[in-house]
C-alpha cells in the first residue's frame, strides 16, 4: 500500500516524518521509497528522502521529477519559470516509480490545498493518485482547528485519512500541545498514531500505516 503525506501547513515536519517512516520501513526489510513530485526553493527534501532509504546512488530526478527554484507556492514558482504544471505529468512519474518500489510515500508540497496551476491544487494530485492520506500536524496552538478543517477537506475528496501524526516543532510544551491530541481524536474520530517529540528521529511505521 502506498500513501500520500500532507500537512496542516508548510514547514511543519512533513519531510522529517516521511524520512522517519522510510527509515523504519527499510529497517523492516521493505522496498520503500519516498516521492516528492514537486520541490520549490531547493532539493533538501528529496535529498533527505534519498538518505533515509540509504541509497546515495539514486537519482534525485527519480524521487523529485519537478524542481522549481523559487521558494514559493508551486503555482507561482512554475509561472516564474514559464513551466506549466500538468497533473498527468506528476501522476505518470508516480506510476513509473511504483513499478520499482513498494510502499511509496508521496509527500505533497505545502499544505493540502497548495496551488499548483489554474484551478489545480495539491489536493487534486492526491485525489488523482487515490491514496490513503497521512496527516502531519504541528502540535501547537491552533492545531485542532487546522486538523479538523484538513480532515474534512480530505474526506470531501473521497479519500481516507489513514492516520494523524503530531509533530512537536519546538522544545517547549504548553496547554495546547498537551491537550491537542485528545481534542483532535475526539473531533475527527481518527486516532493519533504517533507523536514525535522535538528532535525525535524514530517512528513505528507498522503502527502508523497499519502494516
Amino acid at each position: 500500500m502506498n500513501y500520500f503525506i500532507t500537512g496542516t501547513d508548510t514547514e511543519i515536519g512533513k519531510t522529517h516524518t516521511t524520512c522517519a517512516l522510510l527509515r523504519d520501513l527499510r529497517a523492516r526489510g521493505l522496498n520503500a521509497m519516498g516521492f516528492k513530485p514537486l520541490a520549490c526553493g531547493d532539493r533538501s527534501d528529496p535529498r533527505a528522502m534519498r538518505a533515509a532509504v540509504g541509497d546515495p546512488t539514486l537519482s534525485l530526478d527519480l524521487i523529485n521529477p519537478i524542481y522549481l527554484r523559487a521558494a514559493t507556492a508551486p503555482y507561482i514558482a512554475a509561472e516564474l519559470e514559464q513551466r506549466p504544471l500538468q497533473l498527468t505529468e506528476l501522476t505518470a512519474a508516480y506510476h513509473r516509480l511504483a513499478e520499482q518500489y513498494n510502499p511509496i510515500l508521496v509527500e505533497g508540497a505545502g499544505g493540502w490545498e497548495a496551488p499548483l496551476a489554474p484551478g489545480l491544487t495539491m489536493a487534486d494530485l492526491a485525489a488523482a493518485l487515490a491514496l490513503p492520506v497521512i496527516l502531519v500536524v504541528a502540535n501547537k496552538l491552533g492545531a485542532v482547528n487546522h486538523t479538523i478543517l484538513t480532515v474534512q477537506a480530505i474526506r470531501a475528496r473521497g479519500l481516507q485519512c489513514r492516520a494523524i501524526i503530531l509533530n512537536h516543532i519546538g522544545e517547549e510544551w504548553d496547554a495546547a500541545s498537551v491537550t491537542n491530541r485528545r481534542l483532535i481524536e475526539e473531533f475527527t474520530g481518527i486516532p493519533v498514531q504517533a507523536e514525535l517529540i522535538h528532535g525525535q528521529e524514530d517512528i513505528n511505521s507498522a503502527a502508523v500505516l497499519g502494516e
Side-chain angles (χ1 to χ4, degrees), residues 54-143:
D55 187 352
T57 66
L58 279 172
S59 167
L60 281 182
D61 292 333
L62 184 70
I63 301 171
N64 168 226
I66 298 179
Y67 165 53
L68 302 167
R69 289 171 178 77
T72 183
Y75 185 147
I76 301 302
E79 194 174 67
L80 290 172
E81 294 187 24
Q82 298 183 334
R83 195 212 191 284
L85 298 177
Q86 302 289 336
L87 194 60
T88 52
E89 180 182 10
L90 297 171
T91 56
Y94 162 78
H95 288 298
R96 285 194 297 271
L97 196 64
E99 293 175 356
Q100 304 175 56
Y101 300 95
N102 183 52
I104 294 175
L105 303 184
V106 181
E107 183 193 331
W112 179 248
E113 292 285 2
L116 302 181
L120 186 70
T121 73
M122 193 60 63
D124 291 299
L125 174 59
L129 297 178
L131 299 176
V133 178
I134 307 298
L135 177 58
V136 180
V137 178
N139 193 11
K140 61 185 182 64
L141 186 65

